[in-house]
Amino acid sequence: MRLGLMLKGTSCRALVVEGRSVVSVAEQRRASSLAEALDSVLSSLRLQFGSQITDVTADVGRVLASARPGNVVAVRISPRPPADQFHNTRLPAHIEPAVTKTVHVQGGHDLRGRPLATLGLDAFLLELPSILSGGLRNIAITAVGSTASAEHETRIADAILSNNSDMRISISSDFYSGAFRDRDYTAVLNSALMQSGEELAAMLDEAGKRHFPAAALSYARNDGGRAPLARLATAPVHALRPEAAMAILGAATLGGLSDGEVVICTDEGVSVGNMRGGLPVARSLIRQGYEASLATNAAIVEPYTANHPFRPGIKTVVADIRTSQDTPPEYGLVPPLPLARDLTLVGCAATPLTAWIDRLERVSGQADLHRVQHRAEEEASSAAVQLGAGPTDTRIIESNVYAMPYGNPGIIRIRVQAAGGASGSEEQALNAHAMEATA
Amino acid sequence: MSTVLTPDDVGHLRTGAHFLACAIDPTAIHVYAGMIQEAMQTRSVELITVDELAPDDLVVSVGMVTQGLFISDMPPVGDEFTGCIEAIETRLGRRVRAIYSLAAANINGIIPLMVGLQSSLPVVDSDPMGRVFPLISQTTLTIGGVAIAPIALMGATGERAVVEAGDPQRAETLVRALVTELGGWAATVMYPCSARQLAEHGVHGSISRMIHIGEILEAETSAESKFLSLSELLGVTRIARGRVTHIEGLSRPTDLGLPAQPSSVTLEEETTGQIIRMEIQNEILLVLVDGAVAAAVPDMVTLLNSEHGSVANLDDLRVGSVVDVLKLSAAPQWYSEAGLDLAEPAAFGIPLHHPRRHHG
């Protein structure tokens, strides 16, 4: 049995799933603190299910979103600093005040991984004491071309850590985007949330181990997957917006859908996402209008419109989670899941472990391309196993190669998603694959 | 007639510039649009028609030439274009009177506005491509015999060069090599010519067309209504509404020194089941419907989200995506013999002549 948790403010909501079936009513507790609410819910569920709970996965997105971001020093590495105010890197308004100091360091690489300028390490070391003396612990480092070479980011990070090993450092090459401002924004936001991530991970770990000592403890990620709690402290940004993905996964799980379309009717409107191989279809960025995008793999959710294309042969699950269902949903939608109230919790309980490889590769032709793609698939599978998935239930969900318009000849982007740790929806996919294999 | 552009115009231009080059990630356009709108709070930029200039006035193209890091991954410092204009003025011993876009789409559609704000030079509503082509030699000015050089270029590193080359193809080769070593892009100023030459050999109304396209696409109307408005404005036709069934990288051999790898996207027409194949290399070069040519470069091909009527970025296509494949004709110069020599599929390594070469 698997337990899905949703943390919000000082309340906690939970639900237990076995396979595709919900086996408990949702437990909800509000207390004077989040830790108390969590403890109360887990205590109640321990009495009901005890050691039958094998996995606990928490959606902490709302807690992270409402947390006060920590102050951050932004280190930006490029060949030259901006010449005027208009060419400064702009952060979205919600995070801009968290950056208390910006430091420019000469450096950066081109797409081939060649340095564009010598790293200005000596000048940075002169400035480092003033950075460290401010009492700040969060530093975000972003370099031009760090998708091709992270060398300058890691050398600056090493220089900081060798002076103060307690600093929390977020480097932009951990987040894939071809845009400097997206990586800068993501690294800054990640850095600003690291303390909250640490505290949440510690709280969940302590409570989880006390009530369910044998269960695997995870947090829900924006792509519809999960990862072990320890990762929450270093990459909280991947846990910031999992709710939409978990709702899609929850509806798909209840509807027995591994591949197809999920339509969700809410009080705010109707949205649509897609499932592939037991997981929501994801893209590598969360776009925010014309502002910087968040470089995290996240489920693609779009508004449903009257022009939505009818797709014969494509299975669809429609879930109606409106507060009142006195009137039928818009667009003549007929929900087979009319009372699916806790989709996000079901999704959290059902989610598998996911791992991504997203990087640039140099190739010389089709054969070479197949070789590097195969290697990336192997690495993604290994990464899923490292997270805790069993080697035999790990599989590739997405494996794509992208040409780089106006890029250097021979350089392509490879993007692979692997998943493991069977979920209700995924079990279906595995069973279907097994049937195909034996047919 | 001259017009002082507004922040709203810039917003529409951003969308129109993306529509005409959906194969390229629009982040750099978004970044520039934001910078321009902010700069407009204290400065203004004037859009003029070429006939508002004296015939002998010196005009130059401004544009990014790219091969390597995206512009959005190596943000401009801000002094690159003004540095190039200074270099050209020094080299020619004359003042530049106005600037125009190197290309009428994507980042180069919007760059002149920022340069105009920085330099106080007016922006001419003309360009030498009427769309985007990957090579700087693929221009209507080349067809008209206007010299491409001297070319000034400057990168984010602050390094600057002036290229003297008589042959546009040699200029392309030299500039591309410099761009690669500058990290991925260079701000360039090229095709210095008289306003008369630009009037005779350029493509006109480029900036205003992108603004009009943006107005249509940003309207609160249905996808079908937007398509009908685009048809009326530009003669856009819909080749297909298709669902992506296959995406393939390195799908064709290439040895032409063109930036980037070829790739292909296969779609299935939603109602007829016809197989649509798009051949891509930086831009969408060719569309085949059940093996027959439906569009071929220099025709422009772009993609719209069939449900929302927004531009469908090629990067966002996944197996299962449903898009409208749209075609619009390029400027008339491109369908001349000289134009097709420069820009039909054969110029991109696809062994095929444009249908208009045979049928007039």
Side-chain angles (χ1 to χ4, degrees):
Chain A
M1 288 182 187
R2 301 161 66 113
L3 170 57
L5 288 170
M6 160 79 93
L7 307 185
K8 179 186 171 188
T10 58
S11 70
C12 175
R13 193 170 167 82
L15 182 140
V16 178
V17 167
E18 183 168 28
R20 281 179 47 206
S21 303
V22 176
V23 295
S24 75
V25 291
E27 291 271 350
Q28 178 155 2
R29 297 282 192 283
R30 185 181 299 278
S32 58
S33 73
L34 182 59
E36 280 179 37
L38 174 67
D39 189 66
S40 174
V41 164
L42 294 187
S43 176
S44 168
L45 290 170
R46 181 184 57 184
L47 291 174
Q48 295 176 60
F49 300 102
S51 60
Q52 294 179 87
I53 302 291
T54 56
D55 294 270
V56 178
T57 302
D59 173 354
V60 297
R62 291 195 182 205
V63 181
L64 287 171
S66 61
R68 185 177 174 276
N71 288 337
V72 178
V73 174
V75 178
R76 293 175 179 145
I77 306 171
S78 66
R80 292 188 299 154
D84 59 49
Q85 58 167 325
F86 307 119
H87 289 79
N88 274 322
T89 299
R90 289 273 184 281
L91 287 166
H94 76 95
I95 196 65
E96 180 91 54
V99 176
T100 54
K101 185 179 177 71
T102 302
V103 179
H104 178 264
V105 179
Q106 179 184 284
H109 287 83
D110 69 12
L111 207 54
R112 303 168 299 181
R114 298 183 187 179
L116 290 163
T118 308
L119 182 65
L121 186 58
D122 292 342
F124 178 73
L125 288 173
L126 290 175
E127 199 162 353
L128 187 55
S130 72
I131 296 171
L132 298 177
S133 67
L136 277 178
R137 285 188 62 200
N138 306 319
I139 298 189
I141 306 170
T142 308
V144 161
S146 66
T147 50
S149 171
E151 183 205 344
H152 285 177
E153 288 183 353
T154 53
R155 283 176 65 192
I156 292 296
D158 289 346
I160 296 166
L161 289 172
S162 64
N163 279 269
N164 184 341
S165 60
D166 288 336
M167 300 301 282
R168 296 189 196 96
I169 296 181
S170 187
I171 61 173
S172 85
S173 46
D174 285 344
F175 311 102
Y176 190 93
S177 168
F180 182 93
R181 70 171 188 167
D182 295 347
R183 292 201 311 279
D184 180 67
Y185 165 50
T186 308
V188 165
L189 184 58
N190 192 65
S191 186
L193 293 174
M194 280 171 104
Q195 183 175 349
S196 299
E198 281 174 14
E199 290 166 359
L200 277 167
M203 181 184 73
L204 284 161
D205 189 60
E206 191 275 326
K209 281 184 175 156
R210 184 146 43 86
H211 294 290
F212 302 105
L217 306 176
S218 309
Y219 68 95
R221 305 206 313 175
N222 308 330
D223 65 346
R226 65 186 164 97
L229 274 185
R231 308 267 175 139
L232 182 56
T234 54
V237 81
H238 294 316
L240 191 57
R241 299 194 196 165
E243 199 169 335
M246 290 303 151
I248 292 171
L249 181 60
T253 301
L254 295 177
L257 183 79
S258 173
D259 293 276
E261 193 174 68
V262 175
V263 180
I264 300 179
C265 310
T266 68
D267 291 336
E268 289 74 37
V270 184
S271 61
V272 59
N274 285 279
M275 292 286 292
R276 178 177 51 210
L279 273 162
V281 175
R283 67 162 68 103
S284 59
L285 298 174
I286 298 178
R287 297 218 167 89
Q288 309 186 119
Y290 298 118
E291 289 197 317
S293 302
L294 198 60
T296 176
N297 290 298
I300 302 170
V301 183
E302 292 180 328
Y304 190 99
T305 72
N307 301 314
H308 189 74
F310 171 67
R311 301 176 181 181
I314 302 289
K315 288 183 190 168
T316 301
V317 165
V318 180
D320 186 359
I321 57 171
R322 292 174 301 157
T323 312
S324 165
Q325 285 147 358
D326 294 343
T327 56
E330 288 181 272
Y331 311 115
L333 291 164
V334 180
L337 299 173
L339 296 172
R341 291 239 179 261
D342 295 298
L343 297 182
T344 303
L345 289 176
V346 174
C348 285
T351 176
L353 295 154
T354 53
W356 290 87
I357 297 290
D358 201 343
R359 65 185 178 211
L360 303 179
E361 288 276 6
R362 184 182 284 267
V363 295
S364 57
Q366 278 283 4
D368 202 26
L369 175 63
H370 290 142
R371 184 183 59 76
V372 298
Q373 190 166 7
H374 179 69
R375 190 177 67 202
E377 289 171 6
E378 292 290 316
E379 287 180 34
S381 295
S382 298
V385 171
Q386 278 188 332
L387 293 177
T392 52
D393 74 354
T394 299
R395 62 209 171 85
I396 300 299
I397 303 295
E398 173 184 337
S399 180
N400 281 316
V401 174
Y402 298 95
M404 311 274 285
Y406 297 93
N408 295 102
I411 294 176
I412 45 103
R413 174 184 175 190
I414 289 204
R415 181 173 150 79
V416 178
Q417 183 188 26
S423 67
S425 180
E426 194 183 353
E427 277 164 7
Q428 270 238 326
L430 288 170
N431 291 340
H433 287 183
M435 287 176 70
E436 283 167 14
T438 53
Chain B
M1 187 177 146
S2 74
T3 311
V4 174
L5 292 171
T6 66
D8 282 347
D9 291 331
V10 176
H12 298 320
L13 177 54
R14 166 179 57 202
T15 303
H18 185 201
F19 173 79
L20 293 174
C22 72
I24 306 167
D25 181 273
T27 304
I29 313 177
H30 297 172
V31 171
Y32 258 93
M35 290 195 301
I36 291 164
Q37 286 170 328
E38 189 184 342
M40 279 178 158
Q41 292 172 12
T42 52
R43 308 173 195 191
S44 62
V45 61
E46 188 185 14
L47 183 69
I48 62 171
T49 57
V50 69
D51 52 16
E52 290 176 70
L53 293 163
D56 291 329
D57 279 349
L58 176 62
V59 294
V60 294
S61 75
V62 294
M64 294 285 196
V65 178
T66 55
Q67 178 162 321
L69 279 181
F70 298 141
I71 295 160
S72 54
D73 203 1
M74 184 166 61
V77 166
D79 59 2
E80 294 89 349
F81 281 103
T82 49
C84 288
I85 290 171
E86 282 168 21
I88 285 289
E89 287 179 334
T90 303
R91 163 66 184 76
L92 297 176
R94 293 180 62 192
R95 298 302 303 270
V96 170
R97 298 302 303 274
I99 54 177
Y100 59 93
S101 305
L102 178 60
N106 200 262
I107 186 68
N108 284 335
I110 201 164
I111 283 278
L113 274 58
M114 190 70 214
V115 183
L117 286 162
Q118 289 180 305
S119 64
S120 299
L121 291 167
V123 177
V124 184
D125 195 5
S126 303
D127 81 290
M129 292 186 185
R131 49 162 293 160
V132 163
F133 282 112
L135 307 183
I136 59 173
S137 50
Q138 290 171 315
T139 68
T140 55
L141 295 178
T142 296
I143 297 171
V146 177
I148 191 172
I151 301 168
L153 62 159
M154 185 168 171
T157 56
E159 295 150 322
R160 188 165 65 177
V162 175
V163 171
E164 305 275 2
D167 176 7
Q169 187 52 50
R170 278 296 297 161
E172 157 63 36
T173 303
L174 294 168
V175 166
R176 197 71 58 180
L178 284 164
V179 164
T180 300
E181 296 312 320
L182 286 169
W185 59 260
T188 67
V189 167
M190 63 180 86
Y191 289 106
C193 63
S194 67
R196 183 193 302 111
Q197 286 175 302
L198 181 61
E200 285 176 9
H201 302 295
V203 180
H204 306 295
S206 323
I207 302 272
S208 14
R209 179 173 72 160
M210 287 185 280
I211 293 171
H212 291 320
I213 293 170
E215 285 170 345
I216 290 169
L217 291 176
E218 287 168 15
E220 295 286 331
T221 56
S222 66
E224 195 59 23
S225 169
K226 291 175 185 178
F227 167 70
L228 293 172
S229 298
L230 289 169
S231 293
E232 199 173 315
L233 176 71
L234 305 166
V236 169
T237 56
R238 180 159 46 212
I239 295 173
R241 171 166 292 177
R243 182 203 316 270
V244 176
T245 57
H246 186 64
I247 300 173
E248 184 182 358
L250 293 179
S251 53
R252 304 183 305 279
T254 182
D255 58 359
L256 295 172
L258 288 163
Q261 277 63 240
S263 54
S264 304
V265 175
T266 307
L267 307 94
E268 186 178 323
E269 223 286 341
E270 281 281 90
T271 49
T272 65
Q274 291 171 306
I275 302 301
I276 317 297
R277 170 104 171 172
M278 297 193 298
E279 297 293 344
I280 301 153
Q281 188 166 10
N282 303 302
E283 312 295 334
I284 300 171
L285 302 175
L286 181 67
V287 182
L288 303 172
V289 177
D290 281 348
V293 175
V297 64
D299 301 336
M300 283 181 273
V301 178
T302 191
L303 307 174
L304 275 190
N305 178 309
S306 59
E307 185 171 1
H308 304 287
S310 54
V311 182
N313 195 32
L314 202 57
D315 268 357
D316 287 342
L317 286 195
R318 300 285 180 272
V319 170
S321 302
V322 179
V323 290
D324 285 352
V325 182
L326 306 184
K327 169 189 173 183
L328 57 160
S329 292
Q333 295 98 311
W334 288 114
Y335 299 101
S336 66
E337 287 295 308
L340 291 171
D341 285 347
L342 270 181
E344 71 175 344
F348 296 87
I350 298 174
L352 190 76
H353 290 301
H354 192 280
R356 288 211 208 174
R357 193 186 276 278
H358 302 297
H359 304 299

